[in-house]
Amino acid sequence: MKKYPNPKDQHSLPVEAKKEKKANEPVSFFETVFKIARTIPRGRVTSYGAIADASGLKLTGRMVGWAMNAAGSAKPAVPAHRVVNSKGELSGRSHFATPTLMQELLEQEGIVVKEDKIENFKAVFWDPGQPSKPLKKAGKKKA
């Protein structure tokens, strides 16, 4: 019987196996998701579905969430706290070291969170499939 690798073990391959990877070898969806997540600008957030769409792979938001759950051991670090659900809710907060850590990390970046939901979600949302646009600062409009 053929034995298939467990996808949960993909991020913990032995060092020798990682070095043997060839340039033309396909990249795992974990690596693709992590690469996209690492590009989320500080003070911005994106959704699991937006990462899935931007990946170019046939991924679902749920699969991106599964990858984000494994992001804690990824090197270099993945800012998983910047990935939320499509409503702006901190649906992944239970996978952080403490129940409030995700919110604390977002607030350190200037994102307002109330009742486990990003207050100005549309304003701070970053679409990885679109060119980066600067974050609009709240303030007085010029006449």
Side-chain angles (χ1 to χ4, degrees), residues 8 30 34 48 64-73 80 92 94-96:
K8 290 183 179 182
F30 276 86
F34 294 165
Y48 301 105
V64 171
W66 188 43
M68 286 293 103
N69 188 29
S73 61
S94 63
H95 298 286
F96 284 77

Side-chain angles (χ1 to χ4, degrees), residues 28-85:
S28 77
F29 91 87
F30 276 86
E31 292 169 0
T32 302
V33 168
F34 294 165
K35 183 177 180 180
I36 294 169
R38 287 183 186 111
T39 63
I40 304 168
R42 184 174 172 78
R44 304 293 293 270
V45 295
T46 196
S47 67
Y48 301 105
I51 290 176
D53 291 343
S55 74
L57 304 172
K58 292 184 179 184
L59 296 179
T60 64
R62 192 173 299 265
M63 291 172 73
V64 171
W66 188 43
M68 286 293 103
N69 188 29
S73 61
K75 300 287 187 221
V78 176
H81 65 284
R82 296 179 188 152
V83 183
V84 297
N85 74 15

Side-chain angles (χ1 to χ4, degrees), residues 1-6 9:
M1 178 185 234
K2 186 172 181 178
K3 187 172 181 176
Y4 293 93
N6 183 343
D9 296 335

